[in-house]
Amino acid sequence: MLFVGLNAGAAVFPVSALSEPRPSSGARPPSVVILVAMSALGPMALNIFMPSMPGLAKHFHVDYGLVQLTLTFYLIGLSLAQLVYGPLSDCYGRRPVLVCGLAIFCLGSLFCAFATSIEILMIGRALQAIGGCSGLVLGRAIIRDLYDRDRSAAMIGYVTMAMSLAPMFSPALGGYLDTLFGWRASFAFCALAGLAVFAWVAFTLPETLREPGFGEGFRAMLRGYGDLLRSPAFCGYALQTAFTSGVFFAFIAGAPFVVVTVMGEPASSYGLWFMVVSVGYLTGNFLTGRFAVRLGVDRMIAWGAMIGLLGILALGATGWFGLLTLPGLFLPMAVVALSNGLTLPNGTAGAVSVNPRAAGAAAGLSGALQMLVGAAAAVLVGYGQDSDPSQHPMIWTMLGSGILAVLSFAIAAKFRSRRS
């Protein structure tokens, strides 16, 4: 499922990036494939459930807005857990913390599969998110353990490019599982996938942390976060990735409503057309993997941010001029997703490189900000569509997040240049 070029030195995905990475630290690197698998669990669980949401409202006899809280609870679970995983992994190592997180993911998936009410399902989704985000946080921290700043951006790009196949195909997979076996089948699939990755990590993943970061305990955790939050460069990079994520979550919160309710298309159209968006994101991460070392983190973010704003404006134009169609909705969003593939890995690399000894804490804090802003964007779109049942609340939220992402990066670039 990875796009691997035939010639290692050609302008395509180099085989050596996957099979024989060269870590700057000299530590034995884990397989890139296992990093992809553990990082993909969270995004897969997030997206595989989307096609089941309308039917779930009927199953539990609740409003669709209440069902949408399963998305919000998932994002909140991702956000809060990332605040803990990073510092704990800085103290105790990446591997044991990751194993515990994957066990929680499997438990949460089973909790969802056997849920008898919407409230129990929300609890299960929160557990699923708490466990699933361990791979996201610790995958980035493991990469930063092994590679320098620009090379880590390239490796994060490669891993994210490969794991983007999970959200590309998971909505369609979830739709088919729902049609054939019911909505519980999606969570059963997540549990099986989580169990397979759990076993893989437990038996094969080496420890990559060479020395503890801020010591042990809750006070040390807060001290690590305090040091990071006092860094304008870290805050700039972290907020840039957060508002960039806000653009994406505004879209996935509003697009199903736009496709099904506003445009009158079947729910399956959303799952199929969402693949176009995933291709854009995959392409952006491919470009990051190829050019981050050559061009540098900041230049990649700058180009990506400008492309993202152009994509949002193109998406807005289709709605503002009454030209809203499926291609008009998803093709501009594919451009936005491409820009996310350029900005998110590089922004993450910038954030975790401010203080490499606190890479886990930085990865957790920046990831938590992404999910919090994403949850806020989803809620904002939901309330907006209650009062204005159209595509406009989604577009305005995306545009606002995109502008704030550019301003945040400007802060990061300014203070990083002062340190140089």
Side-chain angles (χ1 to χ4, degrees), residues 9 26 49 107 169 177 208 230 272 281 289 321 333 358 380 404 407:
F49 179 57
L107 178 64
F169 293 110
L177 288 174
T208 60
R230 284 191 293 271
L272 293 175
Y281 189 53
F321 293 105
M333 185 57 199
L380 186 60
L404 290 173
L407 295 177

Side-chain angles (χ1 to χ4, degrees), residues 117-143:
S117 68
I118 191 65
E119 292 79 13
I120 294 177
L121 182 61
M122 289 179 188
I123 295 172
R125 286 289 276 173
L127 287 173
Q128 195 180 39
I130 289 169
C133 81
S134 61
L136 289 171
V137 175
L138 300 181
R140 294 192 297 256
I142 287 170
I143 289 172

Side-chain angles (χ1 to χ4, degrees), residues 183-274:
W183 62 270
R184 299 180 191 274
S186 295
F187 295 114
F189 180 87
C190 289
L192 291 174
L195 182 61
V197 176
F198 172 86
W200 195 0
V201 167
F203 287 107
T204 67
L205 185 72
E207 180 58 63
T208 60
L209 184 66
R210 293 182 296 169
E211 60 181 20
F214 287 106
E216 302 180 5
F218 183 70
R219 290 183 180 178
M221 202 180 293
L222 293 180
R223 184 168 66 250
Y225 284 139
D227 290 343
L228 290 169
L229 291 173
R230 284 191 293 271
S231 167
F234 170 80
C235 291
Y237 283 120
L239 289 174
Q240 175 262 314
T241 59
F243 287 118
T244 299
S245 297
V247 173
F248 173 75
F249 285 115
F251 180 82
I252 67 168
F257 177 86
V258 173
V259 170
V260 176
T261 304
V262 178
M263 302 175 63
E265 298 285 345
S268 58
S269 296
Y270 173 83
L272 293 175
W273 275 94
F274 192 82

Side-chain angles (χ1 to χ4, degrees), residues 87-419:
L88 285 179
S89 74
D90 287 334
C91 295
Y92 304 113
R94 316 302 186 200
R95 188 177 182 279
V97 176
L98 178 61
V99 168
C100 291
L102 292 174
I104 294 172
F105 176 84
C106 294
L107 178 64
S109 298
L110 291 174
F111 212 78
C112 292
F114 294 100
T116 56
S117 68
I118 191 65
E119 292 79 13
I120 294 177
L121 182 61
M122 289 179 188
I123 295 172
R125 286 289 276 173
L127 287 173
Q128 195 180 39
I130 289 169
C133 81
S134 61
L136 289 171
V137 175
L138 300 181
R140 294 192 297 256
I142 287 170
I143 289 172
R144 190 60 187 90
D145 288 340
L146 299 173
Y147 300 96
D148 61 26
R149 182 175 184 263
D150 289 337
R151 182 59 175 161
S152 67
M155 294 304 298
I156 290 172
Y158 283 137
V159 171
T160 309
M161 186 193 83
M163 62 169 268
S164 65
L165 294 174
M168 180 189 300
F169 293 110
S170 55
L173 175 61
Y176 282 116
L177 288 174
D178 184 281
T179 300
L180 295 175
F181 306 108
W183 62 270
R184 299 180 191 274
S186 295
F187 295 114
F189 180 87
C190 289
L192 291 174
L195 182 61
V197 176
F198 172 86
W200 195 0
V201 167
F203 287 107
T204 67
L205 185 72
E207 180 58 63
T208 60
L209 184 66
R210 293 182 296 169
E211 60 181 20
F214 287 106
E216 302 180 5
F218 183 70
R219 290 183 180 178
M221 202 180 293
L222 293 180
R223 184 168 66 250
Y225 284 139
D227 290 343
L228 290 169
L229 291 173
R230 284 191 293 271
S231 167
F234 170 80
C235 291
Y237 283 120
L239 289 174
Q240 175 262 314
T241 59
F243 287 118
T244 299
S245 297
V247 173
F248 173 75
F249 285 115
F251 180 82
I252 67 168
F257 177 86
V258 173
V259 170
V260 176
T261 304
V262 178
M263 302 175 63
E265 298 285 345
S268 58
S269 296
Y270 173 83
L272 293 175
W273 275 94
F274 192 82
M275 292 184 184
V276 177
V277 177
S278 297
V279 169
Y281 189 53
L282 186 150
T283 302
N285 281 282
F286 170 81
L287 294 175
T288 289
R290 290 299 298 162
F291 298 110
V293 175
R294 185 186 310 173
L295 299 179
V297 163
D298 291 344
R299 191 177 299 178
M300 295 292 290
I301 296 174
W303 278 103
M306 296 307 298
I307 293 172
L309 284 179
L310 291 176
I312 296 170
L313 291 173
L315 175 58
T318 62
W320 293 325
F321 293 105
L323 303 174
L324 189 64
T325 61
L326 287 172
L329 180 67
F330 285 94
L331 292 180
M333 185 57 199
V335 175
V336 175
L338 183 148
S339 79
N340 285 9
L342 297 174
T343 56
L344 286 176
N346 286 283
T348 299
V352 300
S353 297
V354 170
N355 184 352
R357 293 184 68 247
L365 185 55
S366 63
L369 287 172
Q370 289 183 45
M371 295 303 107
L372 282 176
V373 172
V379 171
L380 186 60
V381 170
Y383 279 113
Q385 288 179 330
D386 283 340
S387 58
D388 179 13
S390 70
Q391 73 278 9
H392 298 307
M394 177 187 74
I395 293 171
W396 284 115
T397 304
M398 292 174 65
L399 182 59
S401 294
I403 293 173
L404 290 173
V406 173
L407 295 177
S408 299
F409 168 65
I411 294 173
K414 176 181 179 180
F415 283 92
R416 175 169 169 75
S417 65
R418 289 183 179 180
R419 293 175 57 191

Side-chain angles (χ1 to χ4, degrees), residues 1-5 13-15 17-19 31-37 157-166 169 200 282 286:
M1 289 178 15
L2 302 175
F3 296 157
V4 183
F13 193 103
V15 174
L18 286 181
S19 57
S31 166
V32 175
V33 182
I34 196 172
L35 295 178
V36 170
Y158 283 137
V159 171
T160 309
M161 186 193 83
M163 62 169 268
S164 65
L165 294 174
F169 293 110
W200 195 0
L282 186 150
F286 170 81

